[in-house]
Every structure is written in C-alpha cells, then in structure tokens.
Amino acid sequence: MTLPVRPDLAGLHPYGAPQLSVAARLNVNENPYSPPQGVVDAIAAAVHKAAEGLNRYPDRDFVALRADLAHYLAIESHVGFLQVENMWAANGSNEVMLHLHQAFGGPGRKVLSFAPTYSMYPEYARDTITDYVTLPRRDDFTLDTDAAVAAIAEIQPVMVIVASPNNPTGTALPLSDVEALCHAADQVPGGCLVVIDEAYAEFRRRGVPSALQLLPEHENLAVSRTMSKAFALAGGRLGYLAAAPAVVDALQIVRLPYHLSAVTQATARAALAHHRDLQAQVDEIRAERDDTVRWLQEQGYTVAETDANFALFGPFEDREKVFEGLLERGVLIRVTGPEGWLRVSIGTPQEMALFRSALLEVTA
Ligand SMILES: *Cc1c(COP(=O)(O)O)cnc(C)c1O
C-alpha cells in the first residue's frame, strides 16, 4: 500500500532525544528536582477538584490561567502592564511556537533565526510549509546585529525568532539587540514579528534583563516562556507567551478548541501559586551552573557564556567518543552545537559530581 505522505516528510524520523534510565540524565535541560512536596500536594488537590467537572469542556479561553501568568511575570520580571489580553498559552512553548507559525507562517513566507539554535525551529517551519532561514552567530555565539538587521531588510521574513538565553549555547540577548531587531522588523512592508524564546529566563544571571520590558514600546514583539524548566513541570506541558493583544487574537484563530485541558489548567495554576517555593531550586541550579562552568574552565575547556541551566563546552576532537564514555558511566549528556562541542544540563550536586568524575576518567 502506498501512503500519501507529504513528499517533504517521507522517510523522516520523529525528533527526540534519548529517554534512558541512567544515574544522571543531563541531556534535555530538565529541572533535576521533583516539584517540592507542597507543590505536589497543591497540584493533586487542584486536579482532584478539576476531575469533578471533567464531563464539561474546559474554559476555552483559560482566562484564570492567563491572569495568573500575567501576575507571575509582573513579579518575576517587574512588568506590571500585562493583562489577560496580552497572554497566550498552549501545551508547552513548542505548541505556542507552532501556533505562531500557523498564524504568521505558510507557503512563500520566511522565518529567520540564528544558528546554532534550538533544533525544533526548523520543524515548526517545515510542518507549516514555511521557509526557515538561518544566519550564523558570531564565534562567541552572540548575535551579529548589523548582519541581522541587513538580513531582515533583504529577506523580509514574517518572523524573526531568537532564543534568549539561547539553546544550546546559553547566550542571552542584550535589550539593545532586541530593539534593533524590532526596528528592522518594523520596516518590513508586510509586517514582521520578533519572537524572543525565553524558555530559560528564570536562570539568567543577576542584572540580565528580560525582553518583556520592551513590550509596551514594540507591538511587533512577542516573548515566549515555559513552565517546563524553572517550574520543574516539563511533564505538565505548559508554555505561554506575552505580546500585544492583536498577536494573541491571531493565535486564537489557529488554536484547536479546548486545546488546554482542565487538568493542564489546574496543574499550571497550582504550580504558579507556589512559584516562590520553586525559587529555591532555581537558585540552587544557578549556583551549580556557575560552579560547573568554573570547574570546566579549570580543566582547560572553553565554555560558552551561559544564562541557562546548561553549559556548552569543548573543544573535543571526538565528541561522540566522550559522549559514549560518559554514557557508559551513567551520565547522559547531549551531542549538539557546532562540531567539537558538548552540552551538559545542570543537575543536582550529586549528578554533577558524577559528571565531573566521569569526564575526568573518559578524558584521562
Ligand atoms: C526546552 C525549550 C523549550 C521548552 O519547550 P516546552 O514545549 O515548553 O517544553 C522552548 N524553547 C527552547 C529553546 C527550549 O530549549
């Protein structure tokens, strides 16, 4: 039998990093800590309550959740201007990104990003028959802003997507760069949206700003966040976005009705209510990140500047061999980034001790 699979999808394999049961799972930038007991109890109680109403469809517009998200950002990033109308959410920021492509992408339209970056970006584009174009980052993984501005004028994309902190490099984008991108996007005749993917925002170092601050001045700016990393809720699947109401209106058109289940809404709201309890974990991960970077540098490695919960380090002549050697010792990291580099997610102190001793053995 011949299946009429789209020719551009034929023979492709689904994306996904290995999910292995090893001592230290440091390959997909998860939070290594379970949600604290108080948060687990609050989620369980909220889901129990939601279960009583599961015969009904959930609030299609998830208004209470959007209000909670706006309230959380007001505290986390000192932005007091966000209202329900500015907020959007979906099953992970991956789905938020897909909504953006469904609403703004499509045949004959281009999305611009800056490599190396998140490996899912080309997939959202492919799935929505949008052209995905990348410009290389500088050697230190910062953005070549002049080249970016020139490229926006030349290729006239519908969206410019920048992860900040960037995955897999950890690089944060200065606000002056975000502003330069927004101004360049303003000049694109058909309009152009600048999307800053702040999946790792909560891990940024002190003094590193969030692009959320710039929303009042830029109607063509959208900032996406997720509860997958800092909230220890990767399994809960909740990503969200803050932007001008017109952007959110466009996303409403393409979402499936009731895309956020009542269970998901209840889970996310319970976790948001406890965001202060989760802050201690984030602080520990940031401290462990800084210690890991220092240790790697002491071993003579180059480490990309990181504001995320992972570090990209190298160079290795044979990074596959180092990856395999670590895996044999129960440490799963990620072969990603330019040739010669490896990425390690920041785990618990015990996991990072295992990582350090395994790396010393493998490279001895
Ligand atoms: C982990 C990650 C996300 C989060 O995806 P979710 O679907 O929210 O789990 C988004 N963007 C980047 C760059 C990431 O690394």
Side-chain angles (χ1 to χ4, degrees):
M1 191 188 69
T2 307
L3 275 178
V5 176
R6 271 167 41 187
D8 60 316
L9 299 182
L12 296 185
H13 295 285
Y15 170 83
Q19 293 188 302
L20 303 177
S21 171
V22 294
R25 290 162 62 173
L26 307 174
N27 70 330
V28 289
N29 304 337
E30 291 156 331
N31 190 316
Y33 300 104
S34 299
Q37 194 54 48
V39 180
V40 171
D41 292 344
I43 290 174
V47 169
H48 188 278
K49 184 95 186 67
E52 292 169 2
L54 284 181
N55 55 312
R56 300 291 177 190
Y57 283 110
D59 176 7
R60 194 169 45 215
D61 299 318
F62 46 99
V63 172
L65 172 58
R66 286 156 79 193
D68 289 354
L69 289 166
H71 178 70
Y72 165 68
L73 290 183
I75 295 166
E76 196 276 336
S77 278
H78 313 287
V79 287
F81 46 78
L82 294 170
Q83 309 290 327
V84 169
E85 298 70 39
N86 297 106
M87 305 305 299
W88 186 244
N91 297 282
S93 51
N94 268 277
E95 191 182 23
V96 171
M97 287 288 179
L98 185 62
H99 286 166
L100 285 165
H101 283 72
Q102 288 174 321
F104 298 101
R109 295 175 160 230
K110 296 191 182 79
V111 166
L112 175 67
S113 195
F114 305 92
T117 192
Y118 191 35
S119 37
M120 280 304 295
Y121 295 159
E123 301 221 354
Y124 315 132
R126 178 199 70 197
D127 295 348
T128 55
I129 331 223
T130 309
D131 285 334
Y132 180 71
V133 182
T134 58
L135 221 60
R137 287 168 175 264
R138 293 199 189 99
D139 285 347
D140 64 357
F141 305 122
T142 58
L143 216 63
D144 183 341
T145 318
D146 293 341
V149 164
I152 291 169
E154 192 195 318
I155 74 166
Q156 307 197 340
V158 290
M159 279 194 287
V160 178
I161 304 180
V162 191
S164 174
N166 185 41
N167 180 6
T169 64
T171 322
L173 196 66
L175 291 191
S176 55
D177 283 7
V178 180
E179 292 197 289
L181 295 177
C182 287
H183 286 304
D186 269 335
Q187 308 301 312
V188 175
C192 175
L193 191 64
V194 175
V195 180
I196 308 296
D197 178 354
E198 293 194 346
Y200 300 96
E202 285 91 344
F203 299 105
R204 65 195 190 273
R205 289 169 293 183
R206 233 168 280 290
V208 174
S210 161
L212 288 168
Q213 267 174 251
L214 299 176
L215 284 173
E217 293 142 63
H218 298 282
E219 295 250 297
N220 64 341
L221 174 65
V223 181
S224 88
R225 293 273 186 113
T226 182
M227 296 183 75
S228 290
K229 313 286 162 54
F231 275 88
L233 209 66
R237 307 309 298 132
L238 200 288
Y240 57 103
L241 170 136
V247 174
V248 174
D249 291 347
L251 301 180
Q252 297 262 22
I253 305 293
V254 298
R255 60 109 178 91
L256 295 173
Y258 318 113
H259 70 290
L260 275 186
S261 82
V263 171
T264 301
Q265 295 183 39
T267 300
R269 294 193 65 204
L272 283 163
H274 286 76
H275 70 93
R276 284 183 211 282
D277 302 341
L278 290 151
Q279 188 57 45
Q281 288 185 348
V282 170
D283 291 342
E284 273 180 49
I285 294 166
R286 291 162 81 219
E288 193 66 33
R289 181 254 332 266
D290 294 340
D291 289 350
T292 302
V293 168
R294 213 170 303 124
W295 182 83
L296 285 167
Q297 287 169 336
E298 282 163 13
Q299 307 312 307
Y301 295 111
T302 303
V303 188
E305 283 252 2
T306 176
D307 278 287
N309 66 339
F310 55 81
L312 188 73
F313 63 105
F316 295 95
E317 221 165 88
D318 187 349
R319 63 175 174 174
E320 292 286 347
K321 202 169 131 202
V322 176
F323 169 82
E324 292 296 338
L326 291 174
L327 188 53
E328 279 164 22
R329 289 160 180 80
V331 180
L332 176 62
I333 66 166
R334 191 73 170 264
V335 178
T336 183
E339 191 48 53
W341 295 79
L342 289 168
R343 191 192 71 192
V344 63
S345 310
I346 304 303
T348 62
Q350 295 75 21
E351 289 171 323
M352 297 321 286
L354 193 58
F355 162 73
R356 290 192 297 270
S357 61
L359 185 63
L360 287 176
E361 273 182 41
V362 170
T363 56

